[in-house]
Amino acid sequence: MTDLQLQERIRLQEAELAGEGRVLVRPSGTEELIRVMVEAKTIEIAKKAAMDLVDYIKNLVEKS
């Protein structure tokens, strides 16, 4: 969660939503996983933003 590139990726997704949604990425308090939640004007926009972040996080985990 402290990865600067991940923080930038989250900011980019928020910018693409242009005030018509929000992004929340946080570690789970009960499981060893990261929760990615996106609210957007349409389900398609939300899924696209969420999957972009999920794919990015998976790549980070694979590299470490």
Side-chain angles (χ1 to χ4, degrees):
M1 297 304 306
T2 59
D3 183 81
L4 295 178
Q5 291 177 330
L6 173 58
Q7 292 174 13
E8 179 61 22
R9 194 72 164 230
I10 292 167
R11 279 193 288 277
L12 287 172
Q13 289 301 328
E14 289 172 333
E16 284 190 29
L17 294 174
E20 294 187 345
R22 62 183 177 160
V23 175
L24 176 63
V25 178
R26 67 173 183 83
S28 171
T30 58
E31 301 174 87
E32 287 193 32
L33 53 90
I34 296 174
R35 298 192 187 281
V36 176
M37 294 168 269
V38 178
E39 292 179 353
K41 193 172 183 176
T42 68
I43 191 77
E44 292 81 14
I45 294 169
K47 280 184 178 181
K48 181 181 177 290
M51 290 310 301
D52 177 74
L53 291 168
V54 167
D55 290 342
Y56 185 81
I57 292 166
K58 282 181 180 179
N59 285 332
L60 281 178
V61 171
E62 289 173 1
K63 288 179 183 178
S64 57

